[in-house]
Amino acid sequence: MKFNRLTGNIGAEVFDFQLCEISDSSFSEVAELLWEHQVLVFRRQEMTASDHVALGRRFGELHWHPNFPGIDEHPEVLAISNWGKDKTITEVWHSDVSCDDEPPSVSILRAIHLPSYGGDTMWSNQYAAWDSLSESMQRMIAPLRAVHENYDIRSSHPVARTHPETGRKALYVNDGFTRHFEGMSVAESRPLLRYLVDVGSSLDLTMRHSWQPGDVVMWDNRCVMHFAIHDYGDAQRDMHRVTVRGEKPV
């Protein structure tokens, strides 16, 4: 399987490979690449909605979004469209539906219709974010849990979670869902939470993807945050996402 790293910290692009034709052995390679690089980009994919769902199911049981319906033929496929700049919910650093008791593990996003400019997505390495903290800060926050809340769902997760596949620790707080630290008020939590999200979204830990027709990107929510940039006005931008149900963070 041919691939190139995309940045010094995160991301790889896989070449000359059709996900709709993936074999068991090739899937194992893709999974290993994903655990290593956290975000994988596949260009020029000839994928249908059925192929999209089938690929997600190779990773495990699919996660259904608690607040938005899927497309008619495949309710597991979340349609993400341009609702206008003032209504965007993706223009914030987040990990998909981290308010769930068992948040999604893998997300797979497929470009359906793209604007003629803009609409990039960024991802950030939360292993590297954790590793960048001083030993004193790591010792201080390692016992903490944070409350994640949205869509009338509320869950508590460790601030530093251990990845079940790699055994590595990743910072696990975000702007989209994390409200406060367990046992602390929102006001008490805000300075430290702001600092940790800023560390986790430091530019040297990120990659930025400019979408092209036929692109499919998959990422690991357990060790990655992402941010979808809305800089395309009222232009049409339609994406389909399949997410895989994860495990309770530990």
Side-chain angles (χ1 to χ4, degrees):
M1 190 169 291
K2 297 181 290 184
F3 68 94
N4 280 341
R5 293 182 63 175
L6 293 173
T7 74
N9 271 309
I10 184 173
E13 181 175 349
V14 180
F15 297 99
D16 302 325
F17 186 81
Q18 285 294 323
L19 289 165
C20 63
E21 301 171 357
I22 194 168
S23 65
D24 290 343
S25 60
S26 293
F27 173 74
S28 296
E29 285 188 73
V30 167
E32 288 302 317
L33 281 177
L34 182 60
W35 308 150
E36 180 178 358
H37 297 285
Q38 303 166 268
V39 182
L40 296 182
V41 175
F42 300 83
R43 302 276 196 186
R44 295 176 290 278
Q45 295 299 299
E46 300 171 2
M47 179 177 283
T48 66
S50 296
D51 295 330
H52 198 177
V53 170
L55 176 62
R57 284 183 174 148
R58 282 186 173 268
F59 286 98
E61 179 186 354
L62 296 186
H63 178 278
W64 293 42
H65 198 283
N67 203 50
F68 299 103
I71 63 176
D72 290 340
E73 303 87 352
H74 295 281
E76 314 96 323
V77 178
L78 176 66
I80 304 172
S81 299
N82 183 3
W83 305 317
K85 176 75 168 180
D86 60 334
K87 296 180 181 178
T88 183
I89 61 172
T90 60
E91 205 167 27
V92 62
W93 283 105
H94 64 287
S95 175
D96 284 334
V97 201
S98 67
C99 57
D100 202 314
D101 192 50
E102 295 180 336
S105 54
V106 175
S107 291
I108 306 171
L109 190 62
R110 180 165 69 106
I112 303 299
H113 189 284
L114 298 171
S116 58
Y117 55 84
D120 293 0
T121 304
M122 299 178 68
W123 288 267
S124 183
N125 181 341
Q126 299 309 288
Y127 291 143
W130 171 259
D131 292 343
S132 74
L133 298 172
S134 67
E135 291 185 7
S136 295
M137 177 63 81
Q138 289 177 346
R139 285 195 299 270
M140 184 181 79
I141 68 174
L144 295 180
R145 298 180 65 85
V147 174
H148 299 240
E149 186 173 9
N150 211 337
Y151 315 124
D152 296 323
I153 300 172
R154 188 174 187 270
S155 298
S156 173
H157 302 309
V159 170
R161 70 177 295 181
T162 301
H163 195 285
E165 300 290 343
T166 67
R168 297 183 64 185
K169 281 197 173 186
L171 195 59
Y172 196 64
V173 294
N174 65 81
D175 262 341
F177 297 96
T178 313
R179 300 293 179 252
H180 60 87
F181 298 110
E182 202 170 68
M184 298 171 62
S185 69
V186 171
E188 290 170 333
S189 303
R190 190 176 295 117
L192 179 57
L193 183 58
R194 180 71 267 151
Y195 173 75
L196 294 177
V197 173
D198 285 347
V199 167
S201 55
S202 177
L203 289 179
D204 61 322
L205 306 185
T206 68
M207 61 165 280
R208 179 167 176 161
H209 180 65
S210 295
W211 292 90
Q212 297 177 12
D215 281 0
V216 173
V217 179
M218 64 176 65
W219 66 91
D220 189 338
N221 285 287
R222 297 166 293 191
C223 55
V224 166
M225 289 195 299
H226 62 285
F227 185 112
I229 302 167
H230 194 133
D231 57 353
Y232 46 93
D234 296 325
Q236 184 178 357
R237 182 181 185 271
D238 297 311
M239 315 291 280
H240 283 178
R241 192 184 80 198
V242 166
T243 52
V244 182
R245 180 168 297 283
E247 59 288 312
K248 193 175 181 66
V250 297

